[in-house]
Amino acid sequence: MKFLKHAQKTILLWIIAVVFSSGSLLGQSPDQIIIKEPGLYPEGLVYHPETGAFYTTSIAKGKIVKVTKEGNVTVFAADKDLISTVGLEIDLKRNRLIVCNSDPGASTKSSLATKGTLASVVFYNLKTAKREKYIDLAAIAPEGGHMANDVTQDKKGNFYITDSFSPIIYKVTKKGKATVFLQDERLRTPAGTFGLNGLTYHPDGFFIAAVYQGGKLFKIPLENPSNLVEIELGNKAYPTIDGVLLLNHNTLALACNNLTGADFPSAVYKVHTSDNWKSAKTIATFETGKTFPTTLAKAGNDTYVIYAKLPLLFGGNNPMAQEFEITKVKF
């Protein structure tokens, strides 16, 4: 009898151990999700709270994929006009996915007609994956290089898109009307480099925009964008900034990677302000190794970053990256 009770206790303890080691059984988020699709080279990342799935894009294949927390990958959209899909945003109120479409020259669909000049934004119905609108942003911009990179949404439902090859932020209304929201030489970087990149909206009525080359952040008032100011970052450890995610009113997460050839690590940095984003300082670091983290997304109380591995693609795609990771950030 004692033996039987001991055996039952052992089995019970084993079951408890299994349950607590399995985040999915307790509704917890996994530390890492593996995307097993060779040559995908994702860039953007958003999380859909209603389905519990992520959406990501593809610089190399020009499509959008849906990724479950178990790592199941399905194609959401891959229409012919998508060349390199970059940043994306979910419009929960209108059940839409908003996607930036560009051609930095590394896609299987790249062409002389679009390379370095394509900048568009595409609206998709989240439930049906049907394309609702295709908006050509380059058509309303001055001549020169263009690349729609990241997109964010204000509280009225308007969208704002950064252009990495011109010092421009576009505005697109929820109905699809496009205008130039801001064009400012202070946001320009040297030819052949990436300029404007990550963008986030602050509920106090301004944007925080990243300039990749040089690792700069700018505070841009919604009502008077020409009054933008550079945020003082002090002795920062990063000379580039890619993705920008607002964690709370006074804290950002920054995805910083390395296409420059300089000797510095890729990482996600937590930066905090005490003066309403006149200045900020780094308070924590999450090192990512040589994974090229690009974009961040909130999933409940967790923050995730995607490892894009883009140096392999831009370096000739030999060898081709076989898988990519969506990783929980732990500061």
Side-chain angles (χ1 to χ4, degrees):
M1 195 70 173
K2 287 184 178 180
F3 173 78
L4 181 59
K5 288 183 178 180
H6 177 75
Q8 289 174 333
K9 183 177 179 181
T10 301
I11 292 171
L12 179 60
L13 290 173
W14 178 81
I15 291 172
I16 291 172
V18 169
V19 169
F20 276 89
S21 66
S22 175
S24 60
L25 290 177
L26 290 177
Q28 295 176 353
S29 299
D31 286 347
Q32 191 168 76
I33 302 162
I34 309 295
I35 304 173
K36 295 183 178 180
E37 182 169 334
L40 180 67
Y41 297 104
E43 205 281 348
L45 185 69
V46 290
Y47 176 75
H48 190 196
E50 294 180 6
T51 62
F54 290 91
Y55 290 84
T56 188
T57 52
S58 176
I59 295 290
K61 296 183 178 183
K63 63 181 180 179
I64 305 146
V65 298
K66 181 179 179 180
V67 185
T68 68
K69 289 184 177 179
E70 295 74 34
N72 298 320
V73 180
T74 54
V75 175
F76 174 79
D79 66 66
K80 61 182 179 59
D81 295 318
L82 298 179
I83 307 301
S84 283
T85 46
V86 197
L88 69 175
E89 175 87 347
I90 285 180
D91 181 358
L92 283 174
K93 187 174 181 180
R94 296 164 192 85
N95 195 44
R96 298 186 299 192
L97 186 67
I98 316 301
V99 183
C100 294
N101 180 43
S102 300
D103 185 5
S107 173
T108 57
K109 302 179 183 179
S110 293
S111 69
L112 291 176
T114 57
K115 182 179 178 181
T117 59
L118 175 65
S120 65
V121 65
V122 192
F123 291 12
Y124 289 95
N125 184 290
L126 261 176
K127 290 184 178 179
T128 65
K130 181 180 179 181
R131 191 170 96 178
E132 297 181 344
K133 292 183 183 297
Y134 181 97
I135 301 162
D136 185 356
L137 299 173
I140 64 168
E143 291 185 2
H146 297 291
M147 177 186 166
N149 191 313
D150 197 19
V151 54
T152 194
Q153 186 178 19
D154 69 16
K155 61 184 177 183
K156 293 182 179 179
N158 302 305
F159 300 96
Y160 300 81
I161 299 99
T162 54
D163 190 325
S164 289
F165 293 163
S166 288
I168 295 173
I169 297 175
Y170 305 94
K171 176 182 178 180
V172 177
T173 68
K174 55 191 175 184
K175 293 184 177 181
K177 181 182 178 181
T179 56
V180 172
F181 171 72
L182 174 66
Q183 182 177 355
D184 196 296
E185 288 301 308
R186 287 172 286 181
L187 303 173
R188 186 181 292 278
T189 57
T193 64
F194 286 89
L196 280 163
N197 206 311
L199 183 68
T200 190
Y201 175 72
H202 194 287
D204 286 346
F206 58 88
F207 299 94
I208 297 177
V211 171
Y212 183 83
Q213 192 73 18
K216 298 178 180 180
L217 290 177
F218 287 85
K219 180 181 179 180
I220 304 171
L222 173 63
E223 298 301 329
N224 194 357
S226 61
N227 282 347
L228 80 165
V229 292
E230 184 174 352
I231 298 169
E232 174 56 50
L233 295 175
N235 296 321
K236 64 182 188 298
Y238 38 90
T240 70
I241 301 175
D242 195 326
V244 178
L245 179 67
L246 191 68
L247 299 179
N248 58 53
H249 274 57
N250 297 313
T251 313
L252 287 171
L254 308 176
C256 303
N257 51 51
N258 191 352
L259 272 180
T260 68
D263 185 17
F264 68 91
S266 292
V268 177
Y269 295 92
K270 182 188 283 189
V271 299
H272 180 80
T273 184
S274 299
D275 54 14
N276 197 28
W277 296 107
K278 293 178 182 178
S279 65
K281 63 179 181 179
T282 302
I283 59 173
T285 304
F286 176 74
E287 294 187 1
T288 64
K290 295 181 179 180
T291 59
F292 206 83
T294 53
T295 312
L296 301 141
K298 286 183 180 178
N301 294 323
D302 297 312
T303 298
Y304 283 86
V305 62
I306 194 159
Y307 293 164
K309 304 178 183 179
L310 289 179
L312 292 176
L313 176 64
F314 287 105
N317 207 25
N318 186 22
M320 176 189 290
Q322 298 299 299
E323 58 186 36
F324 306 86
E325 297 82 31
I326 301 171
T327 301
K328 186 184 294 185
V329 176
K330 296 182 178 182
F331 289 114

